[in-house]
Amino acid sequence: MTTIVNILIIVLISTGVLFSLVTAIGLVRLPDVYTRTHAASKSSTLGVLCILMGTTIHFWAVEGIFNTQMVIAIAFLFITAPVGGHLIGRASYVAGIKLADATVRDDLKGVFDQKTDIKK
Amino acid sequence: MRTNDVMLQTATKVVTFIILMFAVHIFFAGHYTPGGGFVGGLLTTSAIVLLMLAFDVKTVKKILPINYVIMTAVGLLIAIATAAASIIFDVPFFTHAYDYFDLPLFGKTSLHSAMLFDAGVYLVVVGVTMTIIQTIGEDE
């Protein structure tokens, strides 16, 4: 039983660390703001959630403490991190930051007036 | 004119209650675990500031019609009253007391008069930070 729980904890925390590393590499490697927020808001959320789940299970199964704040933190991050990424992306689009050169499609083109930053 | 921000407003409606509940938890947990009046007050303020960011200063003023200057004064009064109450029992200023009570829902609970002092700190922190933020925010 303890072995299974330990394997689960190790897998969860390693996955979380791996996803955080992928986030960092994505932030360095990707070409523009939008792809970077994509990397930062998705994989880092999953990475941090995996680490939190691993620590919750560790403290619950190994140490015998069930910490409800961890559950609240998981729910909170799951709600807020994508919203933060969305807001950063939208603010940069409204502010008129250029997309990467490799972009082939821009569905929002012409929706925002670039001079006044207001929806037409 | 503001652009449409349904995402932020909807997320705020859910998240604000989580932050407020967590603030209350931090406030009451302060005696035995990390936390207390100061952190609880700052968390409450952050929930109200999130509401202000997602909606409007005027809207938040309408849903929370609180005069934060008076709130600060009430907090200071509560703090000084808790400290002064020890004089009545013929012990030095700021002496606190505690006892165990059987509350109907919580069972055996230790109630400590330092909690009342912490409530004063909480009110002062919320009042002062909200006064600062409102004064800066309403720059017209």
Side-chain angles (χ1 to χ4, degrees):
Chain A
M1 183 63 199
T2 324
T3 320
I4 300 171
V5 166
N6 276 334
I7 289 172
L8 185 66
I9 293 163
I10 291 169
V11 165
L12 274 175
I13 293 184
S14 323
T15 320
V17 172
L18 201 71
F19 268 103
S20 306
L21 182 69
V22 167
T23 309
I25 295 173
L27 281 180
V28 178
R29 293 277 296 155
L30 288 172
D32 67 347
V33 157
Y34 309 102
T35 44
R36 278 176 190 160
T37 46
H38 166 80
S41 63
K42 280 194 182 65
S43 56
S44 77
T45 311
L46 187 60
V48 174
L49 288 196
C50 280
I51 294 175
L52 280 177
M53 264 189 263
T55 39
T56 315
I57 292 170
H58 172 78
F59 277 103
W60 189 19
V62 180
E63 317 251 332
I65 307 162
F66 185 70
N67 199 343
T68 39
Q69 294 177 27
M70 289 291 208
V71 182
I72 294 174
I74 290 171
F76 191 82
L77 275 175
F78 194 65
I79 297 169
T80 50
V83 176
H86 159 77
L87 285 174
I88 293 172
R90 202 183 64 161
S92 44
Y93 194 88
V94 171
I97 291 174
K98 292 273 183 297
L99 283 81
D101 293 331
T103 314
V104 288
R105 187 170 164 179
D106 182 6
D107 281 342
L108 273 177
K109 195 169 200 173
V111 175
F112 290 103
D113 193 350
Q114 297 297 355
K115 285 198 187 94
T116 51
D117 299 343
I118 287 172
K119 220 173 182 181
K120 267 180 193 166
Chain B
M1 182 203 146
R2 296 186 68 151
T3 43
N4 186 11
D5 33 38
V6 187
M7 298 266 187
L8 180 59
Q9 289 179 351
T10 315
T12 304
K13 279 173 200 163
V14 182
V15 157
T16 305
F17 292 105
I18 301 180
I19 305 177
L20 282 176
M21 289 311 291
F22 190 60
V24 171
H25 167 77
I26 282 278
F27 171 67
F28 280 112
H31 204 70
Y32 292 111
T33 53
F38 188 76
V39 194
L42 282 184
L43 270 169
T44 313
T45 317
S46 72
I48 304 174
V49 169
L50 181 65
L51 279 177
M52 283 180 169
L53 283 175
F55 296 94
D56 210 340
V57 177
K58 277 190 189 128
T59 322
V60 176
K61 245 187 187 170
K62 204 193 275 172
I63 59 171
L64 290 171
I66 304 167
N67 189 341
Y68 291 104
V69 180
I70 293 177
M71 196 175 182
T72 314
V74 169
L76 285 173
L77 265 181
I78 290 175
I80 203 76
T82 340
S86 58
I87 293 178
I88 303 172
F89 300 104
D90 204 22
V91 282
F93 193 63
F94 256 119
T95 309
H96 285 294
Y98 73 96
D99 206 353
Y100 291 98
F101 293 94
D102 267 324
L103 295 182
L105 208 58
F106 299 100
K108 189 185 174 194
T109 320
S110 76
L111 296 181
H112 200 290
S113 66
M115 186 53 88
L116 288 172
F117 183 75
D118 230 17
V121 173
Y122 176 89
L123 287 179
V124 170
V125 168
V126 173
V128 168
T129 35
M130 283 315 294
T131 313
I132 294 170
I133 288 163
Q134 268 190 347
T135 331
I136 298 171
E138 287 173 341
D139 193 35
E140 279 165 24

